[in-house]
Amino acid sequence: MAIDPNFEENRDQEGQEHDVDVWGPTDPPEELGIRGTHVAVDFDICIADGACLEDCPVDVFEWVDTPDHPESEIKANPTQEDQCIDCMLCVDVCPVDAVDVDPGRAGRI
Ligand code: F3S
Ligand code: F3S
């Protein structure tokens, strides 16, 4: 299952955590939702592959600890999504399609 590119319509924003928007539902530690808006990572799909962190030319992502999540205990958090230049590398390299980037989504101000 890939990240839902229409999550803004299909989910409710539940505030912010680790400096990015949180799109529910969430039920931590097992269910963490989608994180970020312009650059969005589905934390419930991310397996901590790390390709997005390695390949992003402007270092949008940072590891965040997610202890006891069933897929991985760290996740790629799009902390610097406002720096994104829409190169789409992260979308292409993620092996589980956990990332979606949409220049039309404004994201965190
Ligand atoms: Fe980086 Fe992905 Fe944007 S690789 S520049 S966060 S499209
Ligand atoms: Fe996670 Fe995919 Fe990045 S699995 S760490 S979002 S490449």
Side-chain angles (χ1 to χ4, degrees):
M1 190 183 69
I3 185 172
D4 174 9
N6 298 315
F7 67 86
E8 269 187 312
E9 286 84 48
N10 297 333
R11 294 173 177 242
D12 293 325
Q13 191 182 341
E14 297 185 351
Q16 296 192 335
E17 190 177 16
H18 306 298
D19 296 326
V20 303
D21 296 335
V22 176
W23 299 85
T26 62
D27 185 16
E30 291 88 4
E31 190 176 20
L32 299 174
I34 289 176
R35 306 303 178 101
T37 299
H38 178 161
V39 180
V41 179
D42 192 325
F43 271 22
D44 295 314
I45 299 175
C46 174
I47 57 171
D49 176 86
C52 59
L53 272 93
E54 290 167 20
D55 289 0
C56 178
V58 291
D59 296 331
V60 162
F61 304 95
E62 289 177 8
W63 290 122
V64 65
D65 290 327
T66 57
D68 299 322
H69 188 271
E71 297 298 338
S72 60
E73 298 210 330
I74 54 173
K75 306 287 181 184
N77 197 41
T79 314
Q80 307 295 330
E81 65 179 342
D82 56 332
Q83 300 297 308
C84 175
I85 56 172
D86 303 316
C87 73
M88 300 295 171
L89 266 176
C90 54
V91 175
D92 292 341
V93 297
C94 178
V96 290
D97 294 328
V99 190
D100 188 62
V101 175
D102 184 345
R105 288 195 302 254
R108 180 174 44 104
I109 306 294

